[in-house]
Amino acid sequence: MTVPGGEATLLVAQELADRVLAPAAMEVEASGRIPSSHLDQLAAAGLYGMAGPVDHGGLDLDLGTACRVIEVLAAGCLSTAFVWLQHHSAVRAVSASTDAGLRAAWLRPMCAGQRRAGLA
């Protein structure tokens, strides 16, 4: 369920951390593999759009709220949060691009978590 807005997004993140991430965290660490279902549920909740512009389906969260969301998810499962967090650098890079074609082709699917990326 996607819920836009800062406090609502934080509540959604907390629910996912409690229900999905934390119960599986030890198994994720032991196996060294993040279940794709974790990332799929983060996408379904709209959390891949955390740093994206609203006009492309993103949440455009302020820095304080974004940090709180990251903290909540990392407390649930640090490995899952780390992989998910890499995506937001790519979203910000595409958002800042002056290439309108790049933005049109990639930004909305990236904010929805349909296309996932990462930058190091």
Side-chain angles (χ1 to χ4, degrees), residues 55-76:
D55 63 337
H56 283 82
L59 298 173
D60 195 23
L61 296 181
D62 63 86
L63 181 60
T65 303
C67 288
R68 290 172 60 204
V69 169
I70 294 164
E71 178 182 19
V72 163
L73 294 176

Side-chain angles (χ1 to χ4, degrees), residues 20-115:
V20 176
L21 303 183
M26 295 299 286
E27 183 179 332
V28 168
E29 292 302 318
S31 72
R33 298 186 61 168
I34 297 166
S36 60
S37 62
H38 286 190
L39 303 176
D40 292 343
Q41 289 187 54
L42 290 167
L47 295 174
Y48 272 87
M50 183 175 71
V54 173
D55 63 337
H56 283 82
L59 298 173
D60 195 23
L61 296 181
D62 63 86
L63 181 60
T65 303
C67 288
R68 290 172 60 204
V69 169
I70 294 164
E71 178 182 19
V72 163
L73 294 176
C77 178
L78 183 57
S79 294
T80 300
F82 180 78
V83 168
W84 162 82
L85 190 55
Q86 303 309 302
H87 175 81
H88 301 291
S89 296
V91 171
R92 293 187 54 83
V94 173
S95 293
S97 175
T98 58
D99 183 333
L102 178 71
R103 287 174 53 93
W106 289 99
L107 198 49
R108 185 167 293 279
M110 289 175 76
C111 287
Q114 296 166 336
R115 295 286 185 252

